[in-house]
Amino acid sequence: QVQLVESGGGSVQTGGSLRLSCAYSAFSNSRYCMGWFRQAPGKERERVAAIGYDGFTSYTDSVKGRFTISKDNAKNILYLQMNSLKPEDAAMYYCAADLTSARYCYTPPYWGQGTQVTVSS
């Protein structure tokens, strides 16, 4: 059973930083992708960043240069380092996994419960 548990959300001022973590259960499939998504009230869920089984990373344009996705395979933890946060980054952030997609995680079937990020101006 796939389990994903996020942590690290909180409230910061514009320009601040946060690091989100997602502890996940070990996967039987080695070719999988993981990603971070976010959803703000009244908006559609947005794919923020993804990392493939080979370390390939991809980001939505609005966070390029500010956010970094990484993964500690030994500890089974996915990270999202968020720097230079803006009010428009405020949202519920979700960790997700897809055991059938090697890189991009566009439609992952497995989700965590989410962690809230608030950015004040």
Side-chain angles (χ1 to χ4, degrees):
Q1 183 177 358
V2 176
Q3 293 184 327
L4 306 168
V5 180
E6 302 97 332
S7 61
S11 181
V12 296
Q13 292 187 330
T14 298
S17 298
L18 280 175
R19 188 177 78 161
L20 305 183
S21 299
C22 172
Y24 58 93
S25 55
F27 302 145
S28 57
N29 181 8
S30 61
R31 293 175 65 89
Y32 61 90
C33 67
M34 298 193 72
W36 287 98
F37 291 70
R38 65 186 180 188
Q39 187 168 22
K43 294 187 177 181
E44 294 187 354
R45 187 170 59 196
E46 175 186 31
R47 177 178 166 277
V48 176
I51 184 166
Y53 78 102
D54 57 355
F56 180 86
T57 59
S58 58
Y59 300 88
T60 191
D61 286 345
S62 63
V63 307
K64 286 181 180 177
R66 300 188 298 122
F67 290 12
T68 302
I69 188 171
S70 62
K71 183 158 59 75
D72 187 326
N73 293 323
K75 296 181 179 179
N76 288 356
I77 300 178
L78 177 73
Y79 299 103
L80 184 67
Q81 178 66 45
M82 306 187 294
N83 299 328
S84 302
L85 282 161
K86 305 175 181 180
E88 51 263 42
D89 294 318
M92 184 71 80
Y93 281 71
Y94 299 91
C95 169
D98 190 340
L99 306 189
T100 64
S101 174
R103 281 191 166 184
Y104 295 104
C105 272
Y106 288 124
T107 56
Y110 301 105
W111 296 85
Q113 82 289 350
T115 186
Q116 183 69 44
V117 172
T118 304
V119 184
S120 57
S121 57

